[in-house]
């Protein structure tokens, strides 16, 4: 094309790209609505600023709000226990593995751990609520016109109703800039109510407490005045604790103390400002400082909300999804859930779009100094399932799967801060368990320590080698999408070296073919069909992670022109890696040794690590392994229906271009009681509050619409034709480019996209199902029948229109 035609085409394409905007009402914020108050905390609405979170039931007359803080973990006295020093027993353990005596090897390892003083499997400190606020407000007659809602773009929860005396509303949000929970009650008539803060919160009845219900907390302290409520809670086994201060601001009326409550009479409006302080030393209270800072805040709900929503909303709106489901967007959560159950054969696009937005909202709201834990940030029970902790062999990585491609840098900052806090313990684990330098991650943590003490005779978690690389990969992915050299050199690279350092020391045994022998090894949390232990050799995940850590380190060092003397040694290590194996069914094996039989019906899919989150197996570079991975995915069962397994398999399905698998898993999640009326999610159908599905669902949708690896962007790799049309904007790619806009209409056989690049590069643009014609505003060279090469400059936007086969 000449320049004149380029400009004409760009203008036409700009108009095409704007098509679909009328499908979305731009002045309406994304959000959710519910028609009934919560009767249990799982159905309470959520808001948070990453560090503090609230669960709002929405009961007009007897309101309950549960407050959470990201560092509220009840100390059990176990976090500082180091793993046993069993490295000296490694030669015998390996000999037993080489002899095929897997059970004996595991039993010997555990016996020696006990001999060295290991007390047995230790639970992580449980995540718990901070306290509960009760607001009792008598109403006149029966409440009418009830509605509760969450605005995803502002983080605001609104409860509205009317009664015989007028119309009422209760609003709340958790401010990022001011680090405060803000609540407002207003109405047509004077407000009469009582407000009380209490530490009395029920224990979860869905989970057997391994600690026999003994709580390691002191009797809480509290004070009440006409304008302040304070709460202080100390732990018994160390000097830590937390406290909160709540400031009451009234317009009109007055307040007085009534026992442990504040009684408010005749107010026109009530404003509550609450901040929680987590204290390393409970004796050093920060309440006076907090009171002083809250006194300085402008007591204006609208002004405080505008400050917060400017920050929160900008993050949320970096990616937008529109499935052109205008008519279906106004459903309440109850209606969405019921409608999907009543129509179980096809996804409700409005429901999927709402859950995509809910997932982004929840992730942003629960990313603070830590990434989301199993419960994200919100918990209404003491002693939740699996301590509500950070489970590292799947759950954390699934929750943050959308942070980089979804352009939430704040999420990766949370994750990296978390890793930097716990990584020093990885060197202790490595030395004590294997006599190696470098990093060996544990499997569970409360976010303070990650000493490897969660294993026993039935759970060989100490044999898992892939953890550190698995956890660092999202940080490497951030570098791939951003090109942030400061982050790479000052934060990531030193940690990458320590991951490889462990494998340099660990890989000293060889098989009969001269390849590394990974012993011990472990594929979370599965065991071979023909074995009575999960303690194994050559787990595919461990091999994949080792290879990936070395490949990525070599890539970075070449880009930076450093470590030239070490690169040949690392390359030699890659040549000694055992080959992945394919079983007699044609499926990629979970263990790269022929004597271990695959166990297909399991919730974890760790052996497909080189498909997702890794980029090693793909149809262009490894076609035979790609087909074997597809067979493995097809044969994998759902076992107990764990939600994280559904999300994990959907992500893998997107990489394998299996649109029916992705669509099927999304449908299974939305129709089978995994979603509470709050639009938060459970681990099992309607049981055990977990955020894995919720926070990973946006990643599933983005991966099915845009796949990328360095130098390659594939459009709609796993989008089912049953989602006939839609539009997404702002998706980051692992080649320092961004899909600014992607719109598809399968019925019209049309795809329109705009892609910008952060650097000068050549990108292979692909639509795998067949390109009949492609028009672009810059010159392109056809590479295959379904892909084109385009040279793009930094800051340049590529506009293209694809006519589909």
């Amino acid at each position: 094309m000449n320049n004149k035609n380029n400009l004409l085409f760009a203008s036409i394409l700009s108009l095409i790209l704007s098509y679909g905007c009328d499908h979305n009402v731009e002045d309406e914020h994304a959000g959710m609505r519910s028609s009934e108050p919560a009767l249990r905390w799982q159905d309470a609405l959520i808001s948070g600023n990453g560090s503090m979170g609230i669960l709002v039931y929405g009961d007009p007359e007897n309101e309950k709000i549960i407050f959470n803080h990201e560092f509220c973990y009840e100390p059990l006295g176990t976090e500082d226990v180091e793993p046993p020093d069993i490295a000296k027993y490694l030669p015998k353990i390996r000999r037993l593995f080489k002899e095929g005596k897997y059970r004996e090897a595991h039993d010997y390892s555990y016996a020696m751990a006990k001999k060295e003083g290991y007390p047995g499997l230790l639970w992580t400190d449980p995540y718990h609520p901070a306290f509960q606020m009760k607001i009792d407000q008598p109403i006149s007659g029966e409440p009418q016109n009830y509605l509760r809602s969450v605005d995803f773009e502002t983080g605001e929860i609104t409860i509205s109703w009317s009664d015989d005396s007028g119309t009422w509303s209760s609003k709340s949000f958790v401010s990022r800039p001011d680090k405060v929970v803000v609540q407002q009650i207003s109405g047509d008539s004077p407000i009469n109510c009582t407000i009380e803060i209490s530490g009395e919160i029920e224990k979860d009845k869905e989970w057997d407490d391994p600690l026999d219900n003994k709580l390691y907390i002191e009797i809480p302290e509290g004070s009440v005045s006409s304008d302040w409520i304070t709460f202080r809670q100390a732990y018994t086994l160390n000097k830590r604790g937390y406290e909160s201060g709540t400031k009451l601001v009234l317009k009109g009326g007055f307040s007085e103390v009534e026992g442990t409550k504040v009684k408010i009479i005749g107010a026109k409006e009530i404003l509550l400002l609450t901040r929680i302080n987590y204290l390393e030393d409970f004796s050093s209270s920060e309440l006076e400082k907090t009171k002083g800072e809250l006194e300085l805040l402008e007591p204006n709900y609208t002004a405080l909300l505008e400050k917060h929503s400017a920050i929160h909303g900008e993050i949320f709106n970096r990616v937008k999804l529109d499935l052109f489901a205008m008519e279906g967007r106004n459903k309440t959560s109850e209606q969405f859930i019921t409608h999907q159950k009543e129509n179980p054969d096809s996804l409700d696009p409005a429901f999927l779009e709402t859950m995509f937005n809910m997932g982004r909202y929840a992730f942003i709201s629960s990313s603070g100094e830590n990434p989301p834990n199993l419960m994200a940030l919100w918990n209404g029970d003491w002693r939740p399932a699996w301590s509500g902790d950070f489970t590292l062999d799947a759950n954390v990585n699934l929750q943050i799967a959308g942070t980089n491609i979804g352009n939430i840098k704040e999420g990766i900052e949370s994750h990296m801060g978390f890793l930097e806090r716990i990584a020093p313990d990885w060197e202790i684990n490595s030395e004590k368990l294997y006599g190696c330098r470098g990093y060996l991650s544990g499997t569970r943590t409360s976010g303070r320590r990650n000493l490897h003490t969660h294993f026993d005779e039935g759970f060989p978690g100490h044999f898992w080698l892939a953890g550190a690389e698995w956890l660092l990969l999202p940080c490497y992915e951030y570098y791939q999408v951003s090109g942030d050299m400061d982050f790479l050199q000052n934060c990531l690279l030193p940690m990458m070296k320590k991951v490889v350092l462990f494998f340099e020391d660990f890989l000293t045994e060889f098989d009969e073919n001269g390849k590394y022998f990974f012993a011990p090894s472990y594929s979370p949390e599965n065991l071979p069909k023909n074995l009575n232990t999960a303690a194994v050799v050559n787990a595919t995940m461990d091999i994949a992670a080792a290879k990936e850590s070395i490949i990525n380190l070599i890539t970075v060092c070449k880009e930076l022109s450093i470590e030239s003397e070490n690169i040949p040694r690392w390359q030699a290590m890659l040549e000694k890696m055992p080959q992945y194996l394919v079983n007699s069914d044609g499926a990629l094996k979970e263990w790269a040794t022929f004597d271990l039989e695959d166990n297909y019906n399991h919730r974890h899919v760790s052996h497909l690590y080189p498909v997702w989150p890794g980029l090693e197996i793909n149809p262009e570079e490894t076609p035979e392994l790609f087909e074997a991975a597809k067979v493995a995915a097809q044969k994998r069962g759902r076992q107990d229906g764990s939600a994280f397994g559904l999300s994990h398999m959907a992500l893998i399905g997107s990489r394998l271009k299996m649109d029916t698998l992705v669509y099927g898993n999304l449908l299974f999640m939305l129709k089978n009681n995994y979603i509470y009326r709050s639009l938060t999610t459970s681990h099992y159908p309607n049981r055990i509050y977990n955020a894995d599905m919720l926070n990973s669902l946006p990643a599933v949708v983005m991966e099915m619409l845009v796949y990328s690896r360095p130098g390659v962007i594939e459009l709609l790799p796993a989008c089912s034709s049953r989602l006939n049309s839609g539009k997404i904007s702002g998706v980051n790619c692992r080649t320092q480019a961004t899909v600014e806009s992607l719109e598809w209409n399968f019925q019209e056989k049309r795809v329109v996209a705009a892609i910008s690049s952060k650097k000068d590069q050549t990108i292979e643009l692909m639509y795998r199902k067949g390109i009949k014609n492609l028009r672009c505003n810059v010159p392109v060279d056809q590479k295959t029948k379904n892909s084109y090469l385009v040279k793009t400059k930094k800051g340049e936007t590529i506009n293209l229109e694809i006519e589909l086969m």
Side-chain angles (χ1 to χ4, degrees), residues 266-510:
K268 294 181 179 179
E269 178 183 297
I270 302 171
L271 184 69
L272 305 175
L273 303 174
T274 302
R275 181 178 294 166
I276 304 171
N277 301 320
Y278 191 82
L279 304 172
E280 291 297 316
D281 184 350
F282 185 72
S283 65
S284 299
S285 174
E286 297 179 4
L287 273 180
E288 291 307 311
K289 177 184 176 184
T290 295
K291 286 184 176 182
E293 291 174 349
L294 295 187
E295 291 282 5
L296 293 175
L297 292 179
E298 181 184 3
N300 182 307
Y301 180 90
T302 301
L304 293 170
L305 178 62
E306 287 176 352
K307 286 171 63 179
H308 166 71
S309 61
I311 298 171
H312 173 94
E314 187 277 326
I315 302 171
F316 178 84
N317 284 315
R318 290 173 193 166
V319 172
K320 291 186 177 182
L321 175 71
D322 185 351
L323 294 178
F324 302 161
M326 190 65 184
E327 294 180 0
R329 286 191 182 126
N330 291 326
K331 296 186 187 80
T332 64
S333 60
E334 294 85 2
Q335 290 170 331
F336 271 131
I337 293 167
T338 300
H339 180 264
Q340 188 65 83
K341 288 180 183 178
E342 292 175 347
N343 296 271
D345 297 327
S346 60
L347 279 167
D348 177 351
F351 194 14
L352 180 60
E353 182 184 301
T354 299
M355 289 305 299
F356 176 90
N357 288 328
M358 177 69 185
R360 280 184 62 80
Y361 167 73
F363 179 76
I364 293 164
S365 302
S366 58
S367 295
E369 292 186 55
N370 283 327
N373 63 21
L374 286 174
M375 313 183 81
L377 181 62
W378 301 279
N379 177 23
D381 284 314
W382 285 87
R383 303 286 166 74
W386 306 291
S387 292
D389 69 2
F390 301 92
T391 302
L392 303 180
D393 62 9
N395 310 73
V396 169
N397 284 54
L398 287 168
Q399 293 217 46
I400 66 171
T403 186
N404 294 313
I405 58 177
N407 199 8
I408 305 175
K409 180 183 178 182
E410 295 78 4
I412 211 65
E413 290 171 345
S414 298
H415 184 62
M416 178 54 92
F418 165 76
L419 295 186
E420 289 176 334
R421 194 182 315 121
I422 65 176
D425 286 343
W426 294 354
E427 296 185 84
I428 297 173
N429 298 336
S430 178
E431 173 64 29
K432 291 265 189 171
L433 295 174
Y434 294 106
C436 297
R437 298 168 295 167
Y439 281 166
L440 179 72
S441 120
T443 57
R444 308 278 298 278
T445 177
S446 63
R448 300 179 66 91
R449 304 293 303 269
N450 189 215
L451 295 165
H452 212 335
T453 54
H454 194 82
F455 65 91
D456 60 16
E457 64 273 16
F459 180 73
H462 60 312
F463 289 170
W464 186 44
L465 312 176
E469 172 61 18
W470 160 249
L471 290 163
L472 272 178
L473 184 58
C475 304
Y476 183 74
E477 184 185 64
Y478 167 72
Y479 166 67
Q480 289 179 308
V481 304
S482 69
D484 187 335
M485 295 300 293
D486 181 67
F487 176 85
L488 172 65
Q489 293 179 283
N490 297 320
C491 299
L492 181 56
L493 182 57
M495 300 181 81
M496 292 175 68
K497 289 180 179 180
K498 290 185 179 182
V499 175
V500 172
L501 188 60
F502 170 79
F503 287 114
E504 286 191 82
D505 285 0
F506 177 84
L507 293 173
T508 59
E509 294 289 321
F510 298 87

Side-chain angles (χ1 to χ4, degrees), residues 124-269:
T124 49
D125 293 346
Y127 183 59
H128 67 84
F131 54 84
Q132 179 174 261
M133 176 184 289
K134 294 182 179 180
I135 303 176
D136 293 334
Q137 180 181 352
I139 62 176
S140 301
E142 292 295 322
Q144 305 291 326
N145 305 313
Y146 177 88
L147 188 69
R148 59 181 188 146
S149 63
V150 180
D151 187 323
F152 298 154
E153 296 181 50
T154 65
E156 182 183 36
I157 297 172
T158 300
I159 316 296
S160 61
W161 72 96
S162 60
D163 64 11
D164 294 347
S165 60
T167 300
W168 305 86
S169 74
S170 171
K171 299 182 178 182
S172 53
F173 67 95
V174 189
S175 173
R176 280 181 174 267
D178 292 318
K179 300 177 176 62
V180 63
V181 178
V182 184
Q183 300 164 266
Q184 179 198 60
I185 303 172
S186 61
D188 291 339
S189 300
I191 304 167
N192 302 304
C193 68
T194 61
I195 302 174
E196 181 180 24
I197 287 177
S198 168
E200 296 178 6
I201 299 172
E202 291 184 3
K203 179 191 171 295
D204 192 341
K205 304 300 189 298
E206 298 176 333
W207 180 252
D208 292 330
D209 186 357
L211 304 174
D212 298 323
N213 301 315
K214 181 180 180 181
L215 300 183
Y216 296 96
I217 55 174
E218 302 286 0
I219 297 173
E221 306 168 10
S223 66
V224 182
S225 69
S226 60
D227 55 356
W228 283 96
I229 304 175
T230 67
F231 181 87
R232 305 191 77 235
Q233 178 67 71
Y235 300 115
T236 60
L237 298 183
N238 60 27
K239 63 180 182 180
R240 298 197 293 264
Y242 61 95
E243 63 187 10
S244 73
T246 299
K247 179 186 177 184
L248 288 75
V249 181
L250 306 184
K251 286 186 178 179
F254 64 94
S255 60
E256 60 186 22
V257 175
E258 187 179 81
T260 59
K261 304 176 183 179
V262 175
K263 185 176 182 179
I264 297 170
I265 302 170
K268 294 181 179 179
E269 178 183 297

